[in-house]
Amino acid sequence: MKKLILGVALSALMCSSAFAAKIGVSMAKFDDNFLTVLRNGMIAQAKGMSGVELQVEDAQNDVAKQLDQIKNFAASGVDAIIVNPVDTSATQAMSDAAAAAKIPLVYVNRQPVNVDTLPDNQAFVASNEAESGTLETKEACRLFKEAGKKEANVYVIMGELSNQAAVQRTKDIEEVIATPDCSFIKIIDKQTSNWDRDQAQNLMTNWLSSGKAFDGVIANNDESAIGAIQAMKAANVDMKSVIVGGVDATQDALAAMQAGDLDVTVFQDAAGQGAGALDAALKLSKGEKVEHKVYVPFQLVTPANIDKFLKKN
């Protein structure tokens, strides 16, 4: 079953504040804007709670290192473990390690491959990725129509191919484009930037050098969209002539939108996911039941409603 978090689970966290617990947290990598917001939000929540201690580790995008961190957390006797997985296809071993130690485990933000077979004391807290790329691409489609486009050629920048979110967001894009309403859009190329701004900039520079005419860039995340924007601006592309979309609604992305460079992004509630993961970990550590899938809704962000999101993420 799935449970929808409309707020941030803050009240539930406060109710848990009298319970002393040590939580081990393994983040895929610290050097990522969105994950930094998620991590810092979790840390801030824990600091406001009596008796809750977080031990936060950087897996440095290394699957083996992350599995070792989980085993070390278990050996040190933490009350629960929170994992932002490096590779979502490699999570079964992590679940097995936590289960063997009888320690609750909560995956956050990135959907584990074994999400449908998690044991009772494990859960997944994130946003439903079927919404992210869908919201982004539907808005891009609307903007193309508004601009009078009968045909639109787009580049798609994907995230890490080992990551479920990248796979699903790309699928979302393709499914929206396959609908009669948006079938005038054609993907002329799609490649990965591994979520990285610099890689996306290099990728976009290469595309620009090919000389192919294009009308937009639909990226799996904001960092990639920003990298593409930087390449286009360096090549003197008129940003008013292209539609650029991303996902996450990071502060840098919102600044790009205010500057007129980014046309659409999708708010992914980093603080909400962090709070929800911490709440789930605390409940599981007390033997309470938690839904296996806890979803925090995505929200479309455009220049028309950007003011609602400027102080978030």
Side-chain angles (χ1 to χ4, degrees), residues 183-242:
S183 60
F184 65 93
I185 302 173
K186 178 183 178 183
I187 298 173
I188 52 177
D189 197 6
K190 60 180 182 180
Q191 293 189 40
T192 181
S193 68
N194 294 306
W195 305 120
D196 185 80
R197 184 185 301 195
D198 290 340
Q199 290 188 43
Q201 184 173 0
N202 292 335
L203 176 59
M204 191 71 225
T205 298
N206 291 337
W207 279 334
L208 289 166
S209 68
S210 74
K212 286 185 181 179
F214 70 100
D215 303 284
V217 177
I218 304 177
N220 280 178
N221 70 325
D222 287 338
E223 283 295 286
S224 297
I226 291 169
I229 288 168
Q230 290 174 334
M232 285 186 278
K233 294 181 80 169
N236 295 317
V237 172
D238 180 3
M239 297 308 298
K240 292 181 181 178
S241 70
V242 293

Side-chain angles (χ1 to χ4, degrees), residues 63-279:
V63 176
K65 187 180 184 72
Q66 186 161 62
L67 182 57
D68 284 342
Q69 288 173 349
I70 292 167
K71 290 178 178 178
N72 289 338
F73 286 148
S76 68
V78 297
D79 297 287
I81 299 169
I82 296 174
V83 179
N84 169 244
V86 170
D87 183 345
T88 55
S89 66
T91 51
Q92 185 63 58
M94 300 175 193
S95 285
D96 291 345
K102 297 182 179 180
I103 294 175
L105 183 147
V106 177
Y107 293 103
V108 63
N109 180 250
R110 297 177 174 182
Q111 181 172 304
V113 67
N114 57 320
V115 67
D116 292 322
T117 57
L118 293 176
D120 289 342
N121 68 341
Q122 296 186 18
F124 168 56
V125 178
S127 297
N128 188 349
E129 292 296 350
E131 300 172 1
S132 55
T134 300
L135 289 170
E136 173 192 20
T137 311
K138 282 184 175 180
E139 178 63 9
C141 176
R142 187 190 72 79
L143 291 171
F144 282 134
K145 286 184 174 181
E146 189 178 78
K149 296 283 186 182
K150 301 299 182 183
E151 294 181 359
N153 292 327
V154 300
Y155 287 115
V156 172
I157 304 180
M158 301 179 289
E160 292 176 358
L161 300 183
S162 63
N163 192 291
Q164 180 272 342
V167 174
Q168 183 61 53
R169 290 177 190 181
T170 302
K171 182 181 178 183
D172 295 342
I173 294 167
E174 293 169 341
E175 288 182 345
V176 170
I177 290 174
T179 63
D181 207 35
C182 301
S183 60
F184 65 93
I185 302 173
K186 178 183 178 183
I187 298 173
I188 52 177
D189 197 6
K190 60 180 182 180
Q191 293 189 40
T192 181
S193 68
N194 294 306
W195 305 120
D196 185 80
R197 184 185 301 195
D198 290 340
Q199 290 188 43
Q201 184 173 0
N202 292 335
L203 176 59
M204 191 71 225
T205 298
N206 291 337
W207 279 334
L208 289 166
S209 68
S210 74
K212 286 185 181 179
F214 70 100
D215 303 284
V217 177
I218 304 177
N220 280 178
N221 70 325
D222 287 338
E223 283 295 286
S224 297
I226 291 169
I229 288 168
Q230 290 174 334
M232 285 186 278
K233 294 181 80 169
N236 295 317
V237 172
D238 180 3
M239 297 308 298
K240 292 181 181 178
S241 70
V242 293
I243 300 299
V244 182
V247 176
D248 285 338
T250 63
Q251 287 300 309
D252 285 353
L254 297 180
M257 183 172 284
Q258 288 180 307
D261 299 328
L262 183 70
D263 299 283
V264 54
T265 186
V266 181
F267 175 65
Q268 184 175 194
D269 191 347
Q273 290 183 14
L278 185 53
D279 177 48

